[in-house]
Amino acid sequence: MARAHGEATAVPEREQWSGQIGFILSALGSAVGLGNIWRFPGVAYESGGGAFLIPYLVALVTAGIPILFLDYAIGHRFRGSAPLALRRLGGRLGEGLGWFQVLISVFIAIYYTAVLAWSSSYFVFSWDLRWGDDTTAFFTGEYLRAAGEPFTLDYVPAVAIPLVIMWVITLGILAAGVVKGVQRANVIIIPLLVVAFVAIVIYALTLPGAAQGVNEFFTPDFAALADPNVWIAAYSQIFFSLSVAFGIMITFASYRKRRSNMTGAGLVVAFGNSSFEILAGIGVFATLGFFAFQQGVEIGDLEGLTGVGLAFMTVPAIVSEMPGGAWVGALFFGSLTLAGLTSLISILEVIIAALRDKFALTRAQAVLGFGGILAVVSLVLFGSTSGLTALDTIDNWANNIGIVGSAVAMAVIVLWVRRRGRELARHLSAVSTFRVGRTWLLFTSILAPAVLAYMLVTKIIDLLVNGYEGYPAWYLGVAGWGSVALMIIGAVLLPQLRWRHDPDRFEAWPRPDQLALKGGVR
């Protein structure tokens, strides 16, 4: 709708999911990622085994679900990407927070693609067990050709080629649009992922030693509950696995129709994500139990129980010992690739949506233009012999400093400075079957930010005092702290640029008077 000559028009109406199922599968595709498969099992085992499920569930209910609902409420009520929705809620201060979240996604996207490239390569390697007997030497030496220097321009074709292929596939899906691209990919991939992983778990449970592995995973060490670090680990796991506080769920919620059940879908996504994590834990520890049985050692004596070491060193070693190992390896690395792909799509959609809203770009311009630039940066940084070091460093700062800081800032700006908590609670209750009220406000405005602020401060002190993984201080200053500095600079500068459409020509629905009539906060 045009206004008088010289005045900006309103931001165009957004694309919309085809329905509830498409949204839930897309949100699940974002939440279920690499961390579910390679992080949760190891963290749970090292943090009390079965007893870890107690702080895990407490963290899910008091922080994970409440912040997920906060993201949903902001995106659905103010109908925009993170910068646009937070601008409509909190002015330029809110827009700055939105761009901070977009820049977190930029940094994560460029290294996340590298892990997809590795896992897709290992899917191919599985068929002839190419990693041989020394899987660690194969991964760091023959495959990555990892250098001692923190930064090189020596490119590794075996990494660079699948990296390019992953970018082409992902950008192709994003260019097709929200329904024909993002939703369709998730509707196909998520059922495939579940079937493949269930097949792995069922097979693993039939192997000798599997029962001992599962028993190790679930045996509770209740003394661990007295350790504050176990509770911090639980909040950290829940927080990172739900894809909250860096723009994804705000963006996805903005694509829902006005009349949509937000909290009901959110509960399905949250508990679906946790169910997959527990399934992954059973599968991983059943295979570890088999490996320990084969080696004649205890599971606690095994190395590489989490992260990159688990996926690309320990699992290949186990697969080589299994009957039918080639098929199991292909299923595992195929699952890892699919889980990572759906998460990467959601991360890049945060960036695409923000650029389209602010600069009035077409989807093709945003995807092929800025997406192409990110692909080149990703290839330069992670296609070389120093890719592993860069990935490890940027991942640590983007997650532990960037995302946690973003969540604390969002709670402070939205709930304390702009005081929009009651409005958001009423919005969720007005459109959803599961109503929220004072308890939700208590968790999102006090408990969750307090725990997250503690995590943030202790992590900053630890990194300043102890550094990280023995990397040179100058390198951590550039790749680690420098990444966070660029996010902050972008959050300050980008709100100063002119909107091509008028972001404030907008009326939230239900209107404030309608929310008051519908009963309000309990």
Side-chain angles (χ1 to χ4, degrees):
M1 177 167 51
R3 301 179 73 181
H5 181 71
E7 295 185 15
T9 56
V11 178
E13 286 292 319
R14 310 184 71 68
E15 299 170 85
Q16 294 183 346
W17 306 110
S18 64
Q20 181 95 319
I21 300 297
F23 168 70
I24 289 175
L25 288 176
S26 299
L28 266 176
S30 174
V32 174
L34 303 176
N36 298 66
I37 298 172
W38 76 20
R39 189 173 189 275
F40 172 77
V43 170
Y45 175 71
E46 294 168 356
S47 304
F52 178 74
L53 294 179
I54 296 173
Y56 177 82
L57 289 174
V58 170
L60 176 66
V61 172
T62 60
I65 292 174
I67 295 180
L68 181 67
F69 283 0
L70 180 61
D71 271 355
Y72 280 1
I74 293 170
H76 191 244
R77 181 157 183 79
F78 296 100
R79 309 199 67 73
S81 59
L84 177 58
L86 286 164
R87 157 83 183 221
R88 286 169 171 168
L89 181 152
R92 284 199 173 183
L93 180 63
E95 185 187 341
L97 173 61
W99 284 113
F100 184 73
Q101 296 186 348
V102 171
L103 287 162
I104 292 172
S105 296
V106 167
F107 279 91
I108 292 177
I110 59 175
Y111 73 73
Y112 210 85
T113 319
V115 183
L116 263 69
W118 300 351
S119 59
S120 62
S121 294
Y122 268 65
F123 172 78
V124 176
F125 297 162
S126 297
W127 298 108
D128 58 3
L129 306 180
R130 198 171 304 175
W131 43 73
D133 296 328
D134 191 344
T135 55
T136 301
F138 177 85
F139 178 63
T140 59
E142 188 172 342
Y143 178 58
L144 294 182
R145 300 181 191 175
E149 301 84 14
F151 180 74
T152 75
L153 290 175
D154 297 330
Y155 288 95
V156 184
V159 176
I161 292 172
L163 191 54
V164 171
I165 293 172
M166 282 297 128
W167 273 106
V168 170
I169 292 172
T170 309
L171 294 181
I173 292 171
L174 286 164
V178 171
V179 174
K180 294 182 178 178
V182 179
Q183 177 178 303
R184 181 175 293 173
N186 280 286
V187 167
I188 295 170
I189 290 175
I190 292 301
L192 273 179
L193 175 62
V194 172
V195 169
F197 218 82
V198 167
I200 293 173
V201 172
I202 292 174
Y203 179 72
L205 289 172
T206 66
L207 296 171
Q212 180 62 30
V214 175
N215 188 49
E216 286 276 343
F217 178 58
F218 281 113
T219 298
D221 175 12
F222 289 108
L225 298 182
D227 182 356
N229 290 323
V230 169
W231 290 83
I232 295 299
Y235 275 87
S236 175
Q237 177 62 33
I238 282 292
F239 186 71
F240 292 134
S241 70
L242 277 177
S243 297
V244 294
F246 64 111
I248 293 176
M249 293 305 168
I250 290 179
T251 305
F252 275 20
S254 74
Y255 295 142
R256 295 220 65 187
K257 295 175 181 174
R258 296 269 193 182
R259 296 180 184 276
S260 297
N261 184 352
M262 299 306 297
T263 56
L267 291 174
V268 173
V269 171
F271 286 106
N273 175 66
S274 293
S275 299
F276 192 89
E277 287 194 321
I278 293 172
L279 180 71
I282 294 171
V284 166
F285 271 84
T287 55
L288 290 173
F290 163 75
F291 192 51
F293 176 80
Q294 292 290 100
Q295 303 293 315
V297 300
E298 298 294 325
I299 288 180
D301 296 328
L302 298 176
E303 295 181 350
L305 298 182
T306 186
V308 171
L310 171 69
F312 297 104
M313 300 172 196
T314 305
V315 168
I318 298 172
V319 165
S320 295
E321 300 281 336
M322 282 182 175
W327 282 96
V328 176
L331 274 176
F332 177 82
F333 288 108
S335 299
L336 202 63
T337 305
L338 292 177
L341 177 61
T342 53
S343 296
L344 178 63
I345 290 169
S346 68
I347 293 167
L348 284 167
E349 182 61 27
V350 173
I351 305 163
I352 302 305
L355 293 175
R356 295 188 66 198
D357 283 345
K358 179 87 180 187
F359 301 108
L361 301 177
T362 64
R363 175 167 284 273
Q365 288 172 330
V367 171
L368 302 180
F370 196 74
I373 293 171
L374 288 184
V376 171
V377 173
S378 174
L379 192 61
V380 169
L381 288 177
F382 302 102
S384 72
T385 55
S386 58
L388 180 60
T389 306
L391 185 151
D392 189 28
T393 306
I394 296 175
D395 173 66
N396 186 58
W397 263 262
N399 281 282
N400 292 304
I401 307 299
I403 297 180
V404 176
S406 167
V408 174
M410 187 163 68
V412 171
I413 292 173
V414 174
L415 303 172
W416 289 95
V417 177
R418 300 303 185 200
R419 304 184 72 80
R420 306 297 286 267
R422 291 170 62 84
E423 176 185 349
L424 294 174
R426 291 182 178 189
H427 176 88
L428 287 174
S429 296
V431 300
S432 306
T433 52
F434 180 82
R435 293 165 61 88
V436 299
R438 290 194 178 94
T439 305
W440 176 73
L441 283 172
L442 173 69
F443 288 156
T444 48
S445 61
I446 298 176
L447 180 61
V451 174
L452 294 172
Y454 175 79
M455 288 168 50
L456 179 64
V457 171
T458 53
K459 177 56 73 174
I460 289 174
I461 293 173
D462 177 58
L463 290 172
L464 289 173
V465 173
N466 301 315
Y468 182 66
E469 296 292 335
Y471 298 143
W474 71 265
Y475 181 75
L476 298 182
V478 173
W481 297 112
S483 299
V484 175
L486 286 176
M487 295 174 197
I488 295 172
I489 291 170
V492 173
L493 294 181
L494 286 167
Q496 312 308 319
L497 301 180
R498 184 174 67 85
W499 287 81
R500 295 300 186 270
H501 296 290
D502 184 352
D504 301 318
R505 293 193 66 194
F506 167 79
E507 183 177 18
W509 182 90
R511 298 190 310 271
D513 60 316
Q514 292 174 315
L515 290 179
L517 287 173
K518 289 180 180 289
V521 180
R522 289 181 296 172

